[in-house]
mmCIF file with all atom_site columns, all heavy atoms in Angstrom:
data_model
loop_
_atom_site.group_PDB
_atom_site.id
_atom_site.type_symbol
_atom_site.label_atom_id
_atom_site.label_alt_id
_atom_site.label_comp_id
_atom_site.label_asym_id
_atom_site.label_entity_id
_atom_site.label_seq_id
_atom_site.pdbx_PDB_ins_code
_atom_site.Cartn_x
_atom_site.Cartn_y
_atom_site.Cartn_z
_atom_site.occupancy
_atom_site.B_iso_or_equiv
_atom_site.pdbx_formal_charge
_atom_site.auth_seq_id
_atom_site.auth_comp_id
_atom_site.auth_asym_id
_atom_site.auth_atom_id
_atom_site.pdbx_PDB_model_num
ATOM 1   N N   . VAL A 1 1  ? 3.961  -2.509  1.936   1.00 93.00 ? 1  VAL A N   1
ATOM 2   C CA  . VAL A 1 1  ? 4.294  -2.940  0.573   1.00 93.00 ? 1  VAL A CA  1
ATOM 3   C C   . VAL A 1 1  ? 4.509  -4.463  0.652   1.00 93.00 ? 1  VAL A C   1
ATOM 4   O O   . VAL A 1 1  ? 5.633  -4.986  0.418   1.00 93.00 ? 1  VAL A O   1
ATOM 5   C CB  . VAL A 1 1  ? 5.553  -2.224  0.052   1.00 93.00 ? 1  VAL A CB  1
ATOM 6   C CG1 . VAL A 1 1  ? 5.696  -2.412  -1.448  1.00 93.00 ? 1  VAL A CG1 1
ATOM 7   C CG2 . VAL A 1 1  ? 5.538  -0.750  0.429   1.00 93.00 ? 1  VAL A CG2 1
ATOM 8   N N   . THR A 1 2  ? 3.461  -5.167  1.017   1.00 84.00 ? 2  THR A N   1
ATOM 9   C CA  . THR A 1 2  ? 3.541  -6.607  1.262   1.00 84.00 ? 2  THR A CA  1
ATOM 10  C C   . THR A 1 2  ? 2.319  -7.318  0.698   1.00 84.00 ? 2  THR A C   1
ATOM 11  O O   . THR A 1 2  ? 1.264  -6.741  0.538   1.00 84.00 ? 2  THR A O   1
ATOM 12  C CB  . THR A 1 2  ? 3.549  -6.865  2.774   1.00 84.00 ? 2  THR A CB  1
ATOM 13  O OG1 . THR A 1 2  ? 2.348  -6.314  3.359   1.00 84.00 ? 2  THR A OG1 1
ATOM 14  C CG2 . THR A 1 2  ? 4.732  -6.206  3.460   1.00 84.00 ? 2  THR A CG2 1
ATOM 15  N N   . PRO A 1 3  ? 2.451  -8.628  0.389   1.00 77.00 ? 3  PRO A N   1
ATOM 16  C CA  . PRO A 1 3  ? 1.309  -9.387  -0.104  1.00 77.00 ? 3  PRO A CA  1
ATOM 17  C C   . PRO A 1 3  ? 0.552  -10.038 1.101   1.00 77.00 ? 3  PRO A C   1
ATOM 18  O O   . PRO A 1 3  ? -0.513 -10.601 0.836   1.00 77.00 ? 3  PRO A O   1
ATOM 19  C CB  . PRO A 1 3  ? 1.975  -10.489 -0.930  1.00 77.00 ? 3  PRO A CB  1
ATOM 20  C CG  . PRO A 1 3  ? 3.301  -10.707 -0.290  1.00 77.00 ? 3  PRO A CG  1
ATOM 21  C CD  . PRO A 1 3  ? 3.766  -9.356  0.230   1.00 77.00 ? 3  PRO A CD  1
ATOM 22  N N   . ASP A 1 4  ? 1.071  -9.938  2.334   1.00 53.00 ? 4  ASP A N   1
ATOM 23  C CA  . ASP A 1 4  ? 0.525  -10.758 3.414   1.00 53.00 ? 4  ASP A CA  1
ATOM 24  C C   . ASP A 1 4  ? 0.337  -10.063 4.760   1.00 53.00 ? 4  ASP A C   1
ATOM 25  O O   . ASP A 1 4  ? 0.227  -10.713 5.779   1.00 53.00 ? 4  ASP A O   1
ATOM 26  C CB  . ASP A 1 4  ? 1.454  -11.997 3.636   1.00 53.00 ? 4  ASP A CB  1
ATOM 27  C CG  . ASP A 1 4  ? 2.880  -11.595 3.906   1.00 53.00 ? 4  ASP A CG  1
ATOM 28  O OD1 . ASP A 1 4  ? 3.241  -10.433 3.697   1.00 53.00 ? 4  ASP A OD1 1
ATOM 29  O OD2 . ASP A 1 4  ? 3.634  -12.471 4.362   1.00 53.00 ? 4  ASP A OD2 1
ATOM 30  N N   . SER A 1 5  ? 0.308  -8.741  4.771   1.00 51.00 ? 5  SER A N   1
ATOM 31  C CA  . SER A 1 5  ? 0.021  -8.076  6.042   1.00 51.00 ? 5  SER A CA  1
ATOM 32  C C   . SER A 1 5  ? -1.402 -8.374  6.504   1.00 51.00 ? 5  SER A C   1
ATOM 33  O O   . SER A 1 5  ? -2.283 -8.634  5.680   1.00 51.00 ? 5  SER A O   1
ATOM 34  C CB  . SER A 1 5  ? 0.216  -6.552  5.889   1.00 51.00 ? 5  SER A CB  1
ATOM 35  O OG  . SER A 1 5  ? 1.563  -6.223  5.718   1.00 51.00 ? 5  SER A OG  1
ATOM 36  N N   . PHE A 1 6  ? -1.604 -8.347  7.842   1.00 49.00 ? 6  PHE A N   1
ATOM 37  C CA  . PHE A 1 6  ? -2.866 -8.872  8.352   1.00 49.00 ? 6  PHE A CA  1
ATOM 38  C C   . PHE A 1 6  ? -4.112 -8.094  7.904   1.00 49.00 ? 6  PHE A C   1
ATOM 39  O O   . PHE A 1 6  ? -5.181 -8.673  7.842   1.00 49.00 ? 6  PHE A O   1
ATOM 40  C CB  . PHE A 1 6  ? -2.804 -8.914  9.907   1.00 49.00 ? 6  PHE A CB  1
ATOM 41  C CG  . PHE A 1 6  ? -3.078 -7.590  10.573  1.00 49.00 ? 6  PHE A CG  1
ATOM 42  C CD1 . PHE A 1 6  ? -4.337 -7.280  11.043  1.00 49.00 ? 6  PHE A CD1 1
ATOM 43  C CD2 . PHE A 1 6  ? -2.062 -6.631  10.789  1.00 49.00 ? 6  PHE A CD2 1
ATOM 44  C CE1 . PHE A 1 6  ? -4.595 -6.050  11.679  1.00 49.00 ? 6  PHE A CE1 1
ATOM 45  C CE2 . PHE A 1 6  ? -2.302 -5.430  11.423  1.00 49.00 ? 6  PHE A CE2 1
ATOM 46  C CZ  . PHE A 1 6  ? -3.583 -5.136  11.865  1.00 49.00 ? 6  PHE A CZ  1
ATOM 47  N N   . SER A 1 7  ? -3.930 -6.809  7.624   1.00 56.00 ? 7  SER A N   1
ATOM 48  C CA  . SER A 1 7  ? -5.111 -5.966  7.328   1.00 56.00 ? 7  SER A CA  1
ATOM 49  C C   . SER A 1 7  ? -5.285 -5.642  5.878   1.00 56.00 ? 7  SER A C   1
ATOM 50  O O   . SER A 1 7  ? -6.361 -5.775  5.317   1.00 56.00 ? 7  SER A O   1
ATOM 51  C CB  . SER A 1 7  ? -5.013 -4.653  8.121   1.00 56.00 ? 7  SER A CB  1
ATOM 52  O OG  . SER A 1 7  ? -6.088 -3.787  7.756   1.00 56.00 ? 7  SER A OG  1
ATOM 53  N N   . ASP A 1 8  ? -4.184 -5.276  5.200   1.00 52.00 ? 8  ASP A N   1
ATOM 54  C CA  . ASP A 1 8  ? -4.294 -4.857  3.812   1.00 52.00 ? 8  ASP A CA  1
ATOM 55  C C   . ASP A 1 8  ? -3.284 -5.525  2.891   1.00 52.00 ? 8  ASP A C   1
ATOM 56  O O   . ASP A 1 8  ? -2.880 -4.968  1.882   1.00 52.00 ? 8  ASP A O   1
ATOM 57  C CB  . ASP A 1 8  ? -4.101 -3.302  3.740   1.00 52.00 ? 8  ASP A CB  1
ATOM 58  C CG  . ASP A 1 8  ? -2.834 -2.843  4.376   1.00 52.00 ? 8  ASP A CG  1
ATOM 59  O OD1 . ASP A 1 8  ? -2.011 -3.672  4.738   1.00 52.00 ? 8  ASP A OD1 1
ATOM 60  O OD2 . ASP A 1 8  ? -2.663 -1.645  4.503   1.00 52.00 ? 8  ASP A OD2 1
ATOM 61  N N   . GLY A 1 9  ? -2.841 -6.700  3.274   1.00 52.00 ? 9  GLY A N   1
ATOM 62  C CA  . GLY A 1 9  ? -1.856 -7.418  2.468   1.00 52.00 ? 9  GLY A CA  1
ATOM 63  C C   . GLY A 1 9  ? -2.289 -7.603  1.020   1.00 52.00 ? 9  GLY A C   1
ATOM 64  O O   . GLY A 1 9  ? -3.422 -8.025  0.754   1.00 52.00 ? 9  GLY A O   1
ATOM 65  N N   . GLY A 1 10 ? -1.422 -7.223  0.092   1.00 57.00 ? 10 GLY A N   1
ATOM 66  C CA  . GLY A 1 10 ? -1.702 -7.375  -1.325  1.00 57.00 ? 10 GLY A CA  1
ATOM 67  C C   . GLY A 1 10 ? -2.332 -6.193  -1.981  1.00 57.00 ? 10 GLY A C   1
ATOM 68  O O   . GLY A 1 10 ? -2.339 -6.089  -3.199  1.00 57.00 ? 10 GLY A O   1
ATOM 69  N N   . ARG A 1 11 ? -2.842 -5.246  -1.184  1.00 70.00 ? 11 ARG A N   1
ATOM 70  C CA  . ARG A 1 11 ? -3.506 -4.095  -1.804  1.00 70.00 ? 11 ARG A CA  1
ATOM 71  C C   . ARG A 1 11 ? -2.504 -3.073  -2.367  1.00 70.00 ? 11 ARG A C   1
ATOM 72  O O   . ARG A 1 11 ? -2.832 -2.346  -3.299  1.00 70.00 ? 11 ARG A O   1
ATOM 73  C CB  . ARG A 1 11 ? -4.443 -3.426  -0.787  1.00 70.00 ? 11 ARG A CB  1
ATOM 74  C CG  . ARG A 1 11 ? -5.619 -4.284  -0.358  1.00 70.00 ? 11 ARG A CG  1
ATOM 75  C CD  . ARG A 1 11 ? -6.573 -3.508  0.544   1.00 70.00 ? 11 ARG A CD  1
ATOM 76  N NE  . ARG A 1 11 ? -7.152 -2.382  -0.148  1.00 70.00 ? 11 ARG A NE  1
ATOM 77  C CZ  . ARG A 1 11 ? -7.973 -1.486  0.425   1.00 70.00 ? 11 ARG A CZ  1
ATOM 78  N NH1 . ARG A 1 11 ? -8.227 -1.619  1.734   1.00 70.00 ? 11 ARG A NH1 1
ATOM 79  N NH2 . ARG A 1 11 ? -8.521 -0.521  -0.278  1.00 70.00 ? 11 ARG A NH2 1
ATOM 80  N N   . TYR A 1 12 ? -1.347 -2.984  -1.703  1.00 65.00 ? 12 TYR A N   1
ATOM 81  C CA  . TYR A 1 12 ? -0.329 -1.973  -2.073  1.00 65.00 ? 12 TYR A CA  1
ATOM 82  C C   . TYR A 1 12 ? 0.982  -2.626  -2.261  1.00 65.00 ? 12 TYR A C   1
ATOM 83  O O   . TYR A 1 12 ? 2.037  -2.009  -1.959  1.00 65.00 ? 12 TYR A O   1
ATOM 84  C CB  . TYR A 1 12 ? -0.293 -0.878  -1.010  1.00 65.00 ? 12 TYR A CB  1
ATOM 85  C CG  . TYR A 1 12 ? -1.634 -0.389  -0.585  1.00 65.00 ? 12 TYR A CG  1
ATOM 86  C CD1 . TYR A 1 12 ? -2.153 -0.646  0.703   1.00 65.00 ? 12 TYR A CD1 1
ATOM 87  C CD2 . TYR A 1 12 ? -2.475 0.296   -1.476  1.00 65.00 ? 12 TYR A CD2 1
ATOM 88  C CE1 . TYR A 1 12 ? -3.390 -0.221  1.065   1.00 65.00 ? 12 TYR A CE1 1
ATOM 89  C CE2 . TYR A 1 12 ? -3.748 0.724   -1.108  1.00 65.00 ? 12 TYR A CE2 1
ATOM 90  C CZ  . TYR A 1 12 ? -4.209 0.457   0.193   1.00 65.00 ? 12 TYR A CZ  1
ATOM 91  O OH  . TYR A 1 12 ? -5.434 0.876   0.552   1.00 65.00 ? 12 TYR A OH  1
ATOM 92  N N   . ASP A 1 13 ? 1.024  -3.825  -2.839  1.00 71.00 ? 13 ASP A N   1
ATOM 93  C CA  . ASP A 1 13 ? 2.319  -4.540  -2.950  1.00 71.00 ? 13 ASP A CA  1
ATOM 94  C C   . ASP A 1 13 ? 3.126  -4.257  -4.201  1.00 71.00 ? 13 ASP A C   1
ATOM 95  O O   . ASP A 1 13 ? 4.151  -4.856  -4.445  1.00 71.00 ? 13 ASP A O   1
ATOM 96  C CB  . ASP A 1 13 ? 2.145  -6.036  -2.728  1.00 71.00 ? 13 ASP A CB  1
ATOM 97  C CG  . ASP A 1 13 ? 1.272  -6.688  -3.772  1.00 71.00 ? 13 ASP A CG  1
ATOM 98  O OD1 . ASP A 1 13 ? 0.625  -5.923  -4.539  1.00 71.00 ? 13 ASP A OD1 1
ATOM 99  O OD2 . ASP A 1 13 ? 1.195  -7.920  -3.829  1.00 71.00 ? 13 ASP A OD2 1
ATOM 100 N N   . SER A 1 14 ? 2.622  -3.342  -5.044  1.00 86.00 ? 14 SER A N   1
ATOM 101 C CA  . SER A 1 14 ? 3.445  -2.836  -6.162  1.00 86.00 ? 14 SER A CA  1
ATOM 102 C C   . SER A 1 14 ? 3.916  -1.433  -5.819  1.00 86.00 ? 14 SER A C   1
ATOM 103 O O   . SER A 1 14 ? 3.317  -0.749  -4.982  1.00 86.00 ? 14 SER A O   1
ATOM 104 C CB  . SER A 1 14 ? 2.621  -2.810  -7.456  1.00 86.00 ? 14 SER A CB  1
ATOM 105 O OG  . SER A 1 14 ? 1.679  -1.744  -7.431  1.00 86.00 ? 14 SER A OG  1
ATOM 106 N N   . VAL A 1 15 ? 5.006  -1.036  -6.435  1.00 91.00 ? 15 VAL A N   1
ATOM 107 C CA  . VAL A 1 15 ? 5.561  0.284   -6.131  1.00 91.00 ? 15 VAL A CA  1
ATOM 108 C C   . VAL A 1 15 ? 4.565  1.375   -6.437  1.00 91.00 ? 15 VAL A C   1
ATOM 109 O O   . VAL A 1 15 ? 4.353  2.266   -5.601  1.00 91.00 ? 15 VAL A O   1
ATOM 110 C CB  . VAL A 1 15 ? 6.877  0.522   -6.906  1.00 91.00 ? 15 VAL A CB  1
ATOM 111 C CG1 . VAL A 1 15 ? 7.340  1.949   -6.754  1.00 91.00 ? 15 VAL A CG1 1
ATOM 112 C CG2 . VAL A 1 15 ? 7.948  -0.463  -6.431  1.00 91.00 ? 15 VAL A CG2 1
ATOM 113 N N   . ASP A 1 16 ? 3.938  1.301   -7.615  1.00 92.00 ? 16 ASP A N   1
ATOM 114 C CA  . ASP A 1 16 ? 2.990  2.370   -7.966  1.00 92.00 ? 16 ASP A CA  1
ATOM 115 C C   . ASP A 1 16 ? 1.804  2.430   -7.015  1.00 92.00 ? 16 ASP A C   1
ATOM 116 O O   . ASP A 1 16 ? 1.385  3.529   -6.606  1.00 92.00 ? 16 ASP A O   1
ATOM 117 C CB  . ASP A 1 16 ? 2.500  2.148   -9.401  1.00 92.00 ? 16 ASP A CB  1
ATOM 118 C CG  . ASP A 1 16 ? 3.535  2.462   -10.482 1.00 92.00 ? 16 ASP A CG  1
ATOM 119 O OD1 . ASP A 1 16 ? 4.539  3.124   -10.130 1.00 92.00 ? 16 ASP A OD1 1
ATOM 120 O OD2 . ASP A 1 16 ? 3.376  2.051   -11.637 1.00 92.00 ? 16 ASP A OD2 1
ATOM 121 N N   . ALA A 1 17 ? 1.290  1.266   -6.624  1.00 91.00 ? 17 ALA A N   1
ATOM 122 C CA  . ALA A 1 17 ? 0.128  1.262   -5.732  1.00 91.00 ? 17 ALA A CA  1
ATOM 123 C C   . ALA A 1 17 ? 0.541  1.798   -4.351  1.00 91.00 ? 17 ALA A C   1
ATOM 124 O O   . ALA A 1 17 ? -0.225 2.535   -3.729  1.00 91.00 ? 17 ALA A O   1
ATOM 125 C CB  . ALA A 1 17 ? -0.419 -0.146  -5.622  1.00 91.00 ? 17 ALA A CB  1
ATOM 126 N N   . ALA A 1 18 ? 1.720  1.426   -3.874  1.00 94.00 ? 18 ALA A N   1
ATOM 127 C CA  . ALA A 1 18 ? 2.137  1.901   -2.572  1.00 94.00 ? 18 ALA A CA  1
ATOM 128 C C   . ALA A 1 18 ? 2.390  3.414   -2.560  1.00 94.00 ? 18 ALA A C   1
ATOM 129 O O   . ALA A 1 18 ? 2.047  4.105   -1.627  1.00 94.00 ? 18 ALA A O   1
ATOM 130 C CB  . ALA A 1 18 ? 3.426  1.152   -2.151  1.00 94.00 ? 18 ALA A CB  1
ATOM 131 N N   . VAL A 1 19 ? 2.969  3.903   -3.650  1.00 96.00 ? 19 VAL A N   1
ATOM 132 C CA  . VAL A 1 19 ? 3.228  5.353   -3.739  1.00 96.00 ? 19 VAL A CA  1
ATOM 133 C C   . VAL A 1 19 ? 1.926  6.088   -3.766  1.00 96.00 ? 19 VAL A C   1
ATOM 134 O O   . VAL A 1 19 ? 1.713  7.107   -3.089  1.00 96.00 ? 19 VAL A O   1
ATOM 135 C CB  . VAL A 1 19 ? 4.099  5.678   -4.964  1.00 96.00 ? 19 VAL A CB  1
ATOM 136 C CG1 . VAL A 1 19 ? 4.133  7.191   -5.211  1.00 96.00 ? 19 VAL A CG1 1
ATOM 137 C CG2 . VAL A 1 19 ? 5.527  5.138   -4.768  1.00 96.00 ? 19 VAL A CG2 1
ATOM 138 N N   . ALA A 1 20 ? 0.976  5.594   -4.544  1.00 96.00 ? 20 ALA A N   1
ATOM 139 C CA  . ALA A 1 20 ? -0.323 6.254   -4.615  1.00 96.00 ? 20 ALA A CA  1
ATOM 140 C C   . ALA A 1 20 ? -1.031 6.234   -3.232  1.00 96.00 ? 20 ALA A C   1
ATOM 141 O O   . ALA A 1 20 ? -1.657 7.258   -2.861  1.00 96.00 ? 20 ALA A O   1
ATOM 142 C CB  . ALA A 1 20 ? -1.233 5.571   -5.670  1.00 96.00 ? 20 ALA A CB  1
ATOM 143 N N   . HIS A 1 21 ? -0.929 5.125   -2.537  1.00 96.00 ? 21 HIS A N   1
ATOM 144 C CA  . HIS A 1 21 ? -1.515 5.037   -1.235  1.00 96.00 ? 21 HIS A CA  1
ATOM 145 C C   . HIS A 1 21 ? -0.838 6.001   -0.254  1.00 96.00 ? 21 HIS A C   1
ATOM 146 O O   . HIS A 1 21 ? -1.519 6.712   0.514   1.00 96.00 ? 21 HIS A O   1
ATOM 147 C CB  . HIS A 1 21 ? -1.417 3.584   -0.725  1.00 96.00 ? 21 HIS A CB  1
ATOM 148 C CG  . HIS A 1 21 ? -2.048 3.366   0.598   1.00 96.00 ? 21 HIS A CG  1
ATOM 149 N ND1 . HIS A 1 21 ? -3.366 3.709   0.827   1.00 96.00 ? 21 HIS A ND1 1
ATOM 150 C CD2 . HIS A 1 21 ? -1.579 2.863   1.788   1.00 96.00 ? 21 HIS A CD2 1
ATOM 151 C CE1 . HIS A 1 21 ? -3.646 3.383   2.104   1.00 96.00 ? 21 HIS A CE1 1
ATOM 152 N NE2 . HIS A 1 21 ? -2.595 2.894   2.695   1.00 96.00 ? 21 HIS A NE2 1
ATOM 153 N N   . GLY A 1 22 ? 0.480  6.061   -0.301  1.00 97.00 ? 22 GLY A N   1
ATOM 154 C CA  . GLY A 1 22 ? 1.180  6.975   0.573   1.00 97.00 ? 22 GLY A CA  1
ATOM 155 C C   . GLY A 1 22 ? 0.775  8.415   0.308   1.00 97.00 ? 22 GLY A C   1
ATOM 156 O O   . GLY A 1 22 ? 0.597  9.235   1.259   1.00 97.00 ? 22 GLY A O   1
ATOM 157 N N   . ARG A 1 23 ? 0.632  8.775   -0.968  1.00 98.00 ? 23 ARG A N   1
ATOM 158 C CA  . ARG A 1 23 ? 0.230  10.172  -1.305  1.00 98.00 ? 23 ARG A CA  1
ATOM 159 C C   . ARG A 1 23 ? -1.199 10.415  -0.802  1.00 98.00 ? 23 ARG A C   1
ATOM 160 O O   . ARG A 1 23 ? -1.483 11.541  -0.287  1.00 98.00 ? 23 ARG A O   1
ATOM 161 C CB  . ARG A 1 23 ? 0.302  10.352  -2.779  1.00 98.00 ? 23 ARG A CB  1
ATOM 162 C CG  . ARG A 1 23 ? 1.745  10.477  -3.325  1.00 98.00 ? 23 ARG A CG  1
ATOM 163 C CD  . ARG A 1 23 ? 1.820  10.432  -4.844  1.00 98.00 ? 23 ARG A CD  1
ATOM 164 N NE  . ARG A 1 23 ? 3.198  10.676  -5.315  1.00 98.00 ? 23 ARG A NE  1
ATOM 165 C CZ  . ARG A 1 23 ? 3.617  10.401  -6.490  1.00 98.00 ? 23 ARG A CZ  1
ATOM 166 N NH1 . ARG A 1 23 ? 2.807  9.872   -7.387  1.00 98.00 ? 23 ARG A NH1 1
ATOM 167 N NH2 . ARG A 1 23 ? 4.904  10.614  -6.846  1.00 98.00 ? 23 ARG A NH2 1
ATOM 168 N N   . ALA A 1 24 ? -2.059 9.422   -0.889  1.00 97.00 ? 24 ALA A N   1
ATOM 169 C CA  . ALA A 1 24 ? -3.434 9.591   -0.405  1.00 97.00 ? 24 ALA A CA  1
ATOM 170 C C   . ALA A 1 24 ? -3.455 9.782   1.122   1.00 97.00 ? 24 ALA A C   1
ATOM 171 O O   . ALA A 1 24 ? -4.217 10.582  1.668   1.00 97.00 ? 24 ALA A O   1
ATOM 172 C CB  . ALA A 1 24 ? -4.275 8.409   -0.804  1.00 97.00 ? 24 ALA A CB  1
ATOM 173 N N   . LEU A 1 25 ? -2.636 9.021   1.828   1.00 98.00 ? 25 LEU A N   1
ATOM 174 C CA  . LEU A 1 25 ? -2.564 9.125   3.293   1.00 98.00 ? 25 LEU A CA  1
ATOM 175 C C   . LEU A 1 25 ? -2.002 10.543  3.684   1.00 98.00 ? 25 LEU A C   1
ATOM 176 O O   . LEU A 1 25 ? -2.529 11.141  4.654   1.00 98.00 ? 25 LEU A O   1
ATOM 177 C CB  . LEU A 1 25 ? -1.673 8.041   3.889   1.00 98.00 ? 25 LEU A CB  1
ATOM 178 C CG  . LEU A 1 25 ? -2.219 6.611   3.792   1.00 98.00 ? 25 LEU A CG  1
ATOM 179 C CD1 . LEU A 1 25 ? -1.238 5.666   4.443   1.00 98.00 ? 25 LEU A CD1 1
ATOM 180 C CD2 . LEU A 1 25 ? -3.615 6.476   4.362   1.00 98.00 ? 25 LEU A CD2 1
ATOM 181 N N   . ARG A 1 26 ? -1.029 10.990  2.933   1.00 97.00 ? 26 ARG A N   1
ATOM 182 C CA  . ARG A 1 26 ? -0.500 12.326  3.248   1.00 97.00 ? 26 ARG A CA  1
ATOM 183 C C   . ARG A 1 26 ? -1.548 13.379  2.993   1.00 97.00 ? 26 ARG A C   1
ATOM 184 O O   . ARG A 1 26 ? -1.682 14.321  3.807   1.00 97.00 ? 26 ARG A O   1
ATOM 185 C CB  . ARG A 1 26 ? 0.726  12.542  2.372   1.00 97.00 ? 26 ARG A CB  1
ATOM 186 C CG  . ARG A 1 26 ? 1.581  13.744  2.774   1.00 97.00 ? 26 ARG A CG  1
ATOM 187 C CD  . ARG A 1 26 ? 2.832  13.771  1.989   1.00 97.00 ? 26 ARG A CD  1
ATOM 188 N NE  . ARG A 1 26 ? 3.537  15.029  2.195   1.00 97.00 ? 26 ARG A NE  1
ATOM 189 C CZ  . ARG A 1 26 ? 4.180  15.692  1.292   1.00 97.00 ? 26 ARG A CZ  1
ATOM 190 N NH1 . ARG A 1 26 ? 4.226  15.257  0.076   1.00 97.00 ? 26 ARG A NH1 1
ATOM 191 N NH2 . ARG A 1 26 ? 4.850  16.821  1.586   1.00 97.00 ? 26 ARG A NH2 1
#
């Protein structure tokens, strides 16, 4: 949940985007 991680920074830096990504990974 970061704007600057080396691989996917900024892709999941909003709560909704991060939750959706977590659900997809699960």
Side-chain angles (χ1 to χ4, degrees):
V1 196
T2 60
D4 57 346
S5 290
F6 81 95
S7 174
D8 55 7
R11 294 186 64 184
Y12 313 111
D13 61 349
S14 73
V15 171
D16 286 344
V19 169
H21 183 54
R23 287 171 175 163
L25 293 182
R26 192 173 171 218

